[in-house]
Amino acid sequence: MINKTREDIINDLLLLDEEVSLALNDNFQYEIVIVGGSALLLINKITRATCDIDAINSSVELRPYMIKYDINDRVVSYKNNFDEGYYDRKEKVDIPTKKINIYTASLEDIVISKLCSQRQKDIEDINNPLVYQSIDWEVLDKIIYDEDFKYNMLNEHNYNMFMLAYRDYKEMYRK
């Protein structure tokens, strides 16, 4: 796989939109919700390249076309780190598409997923001032301290590990 920059991701999404516009001749608007490093690139919070584009929500009709552009919607680990309210917090990506509405998860939801992951590159992503200075800490706390959040985690151990990571992160960066 070739590492993708922000420009590469936007180009792939526009090419996907063009291909889908030609292939699916209907009046329906499709959608994709992008997460992970590619989402942070799209919202200009990191500059490192990423290997693929991860999506936690996409219209089923798009799946045959997404593979060509390295858009992966088989991301169970991501899905486990998003509460049901993530969809209401998604952010529209401002690129000129015809057929596909492209969103990213909210910055707060992305931070949660990266804290859950604990992979080194994910921690580096959220330790970036462009990320932690842009977080709406009240929204983040509201998500995390909601009763339902705990039940989205796979088990008590994962939840406890996440809460330790979040407390450390918040202590370091919330001003």
Side-chain angles (χ1 to χ4, degrees):
M1 276 188 220
I2 298 171
N3 282 338
K4 296 175 182 274
T5 64
R6 181 178 190 277
E7 293 72 28
D8 295 331
I9 293 168
I10 290 171
N11 187 54
D12 284 351
L13 292 170
L14 290 172
L15 289 171
L16 171 66
D17 180 65
E18 185 66 30
E19 186 172 339
V20 168
S21 294
L22 294 170
L24 302 177
N25 192 12
D26 57 25
N27 293 327
F28 194 74
Q29 284 294 120
Y30 299 95
E31 71 176 41
I32 296 176
V33 179
I34 308 293
V35 296
S38 49
L40 288 174
L41 279 163
L42 285 170
I43 62 173
N44 291 306
K45 299 300 178 196
I46 63 170
T47 56
R48 75 160 174 86
T50 188
C51 296
D52 62 3
I53 302 168
D54 293 318
I56 58 170
N57 189 40
S58 61
S59 301
V60 122
E61 297 85 354
L62 300 179
R63 290 184 179 146
Y65 305 97
M66 291 167 47
I67 295 166
K68 180 177 177 180
Y69 301 99
D70 290 323
I71 301 172
N72 178 19
D73 71 342
R74 293 169 307 284
V75 288
V76 173
S77 62
Y78 274 116
K79 289 178 184 177
N80 292 332
N81 300 326
F82 286 86
D83 73 334
E84 292 176 12
Y86 89 88
Y87 190 80
D88 296 329
R89 294 184 296 270
K90 70 186 184 299
E91 302 283 333
K92 183 102 167 74
V93 176
D94 188 24
I95 58 175
T97 57
K98 301 172 193 167
K99 194 86 175 142
I100 304 172
N101 292 315
I102 300 170
Y103 301 90
T104 64
S106 72
L107 179 59
E108 293 75 23
D109 286 309
I110 296 168
V111 167
I112 289 169
S113 71
K114 295 217 172 244
L115 281 170
C116 286
S117 155
Q118 287 295 304
R119 292 181 304 183
Q120 184 60 36
K121 72 178 180 177
D122 291 328
I123 298 305
E124 288 171 10
D125 285 347
I126 63 173
N127 286 344
N128 180 329
L130 292 172
V131 172
Y132 64 75
Q133 291 174 356
S134 300
I135 294 171
D136 184 329
W137 291 94
E138 288 180 17
V139 169
L140 190 54
D141 278 347
K142 185 177 179 187
I143 297 166
I144 289 170
Y145 293 113
D146 184 278
E147 280 187 33
D148 291 334
F149 179 78
K150 181 176 184 176
Y151 299 106
N152 288 328
M153 294 290 179
L154 294 175
N155 59 46
E156 187 79 20
H157 174 74
N158 288 351
Y159 175 75
N160 291 334
M161 295 302 291
F162 169 81
M163 289 306 292
L164 288 171
Y166 177 62
R167 287 182 192 125
D168 290 345
Y169 184 73
K170 187 174 175 180
E171 190 175 291
M172 264 192 298
Y173 296 119
R174 185 170 187 178
K175 303 296 182 211

